[in-house]
Amino acid sequence: MSLLSASLLGIDFASPLMNASGVCCRYNEELDAMLASDAGSLITKSCTLLPREGNPEPRYTATALGSINSMGLPNEGYEYYLDYAVKHDYAKKPLFMSVAGLSLEDNMAMLTAIREAKLPAIVELNLSCPNVPGKPQIAYDFEAMESMLEAASRVWAQPFGVKMPPYFDIAHFDEAAAILNRHPLVKFITCINSIGNALVIDIERESVVIKPKDGFGGIGGDYVLPTALANVNAFFRRCPDKQVIGCGGVKSGAEVFMHLLAGASLVQVGTALQEEGCGIFARLNAELAEILQRKGYRSLEEVRGKLRTL
Ligand code: RRO
């Protein structure tokens, strides 16, 4: 046991840090770079039944405060990531697979195939892709979300997690949490995906900065940190039998520590990883360790969810 040891679903992690799905995880070479990094685990790009090219470029732009993207689910198809998962050495670090089918039936077909491979891979079911034209996010349609979780629980029949979009109203936290709590196999909740359908404008060019959807896309980075922390803490409070993975606005040890205080068991890095590369994990581990030591903490467990209110 070291200072940065973490645990999810009874599995041990040498560090709580990992990539957010979508960053550094489309191709085998990127996944191998994640494996060689100081991240505690890694996750594959959200996959569909068949490979997809995604939306036209430019489809990602970094700004002074974060990023905007409308990638449109570019991925190599689930069989590619399943092959990677079959070859992965789970003694090195745990591996997550992100699944984001375009329909309930597609998700069930992928979950069936992954289940039949009998791997220790952890599934994160993405209920919150904001960027496929004409496809609303499942987690913003509570009936669709209920049906998806019911079917996934039946077909997958073992613990899994869900990637959630941000919510902005207490009534929505309550309703989403109540639905998740009706599904005991949902053992972890990853909060948050990007804040969807934002618009970044460049005043010199008097233009949008990404091509798809007339410039509308999901934002990450500094823009989303307080929203991410609120969602982590809202689900941590409402779902005592589940774990939470924090995602949003992490660029130094300080934001990792904030996510832990809010209730996160693991913490994902998106925009900052895209901008800095896999070397970021050594820096974040060192910065987090420095904060913990300065405050006299001996484990992450002592910090998790210990946020004080006034
Ligand atoms: O590929 C994307 O456009 C994408 C996905 Br699937 C997602 O879940 N979140 C995001 O910001 N982009």
Side-chain angles (χ1 to χ4, degrees), residues 141-221:
D141 174 344
F142 288 133
E143 268 181 38
M145 179 163 120
E146 175 82 55
S147 312
M148 188 66 80
L149 293 177
E150 190 277 317
S153 296
R154 181 166 38 77
V155 166
W156 180 245
Q158 50 193 316
F160 67 105
V162 286
K163 177 77 168 277
M164 302 300 282
Y167 296 101
F168 305 93
D169 193 287
I170 301 298
H172 294 162
F173 289 140
D174 289 342
E175 191 166 352
I179 293 169
L180 295 174
N181 282 334
R182 283 202 285 278
H183 297 281
L185 289 177
V186 175
K187 293 273 197 240
F188 71 91
I189 308 166
T190 304
C191 304
I192 59 172
N193 208 318
S194 50
I195 297 183
N197 296 301
L199 183 62
V200 168
I201 293 177
D202 175 343
I203 62 165
E204 294 312 317
R205 289 187 290 150
E206 302 179 11
S207 170
V208 304
V209 302
I210 55 173
K211 183 177 172 88
K213 293 175 65 176
D214 294 332
F216 284 56
I219 49 172

Side-chain angles (χ1 to χ4, degrees), residues 14 26 78 97 116 130-131 149 194-195 207 212 233 268 276 286 296-297 303 306:
R26 178 172 174 184
Y78 84 97
M97 287 185 72
E116 285 171 356
N131 300 330
L149 293 177
S194 50
I195 297 183
S207 170
N233 193 56
Q268 300 180 342
E276 190 170 331
Y297 287 112
V303 179
K306 296 294 159 51

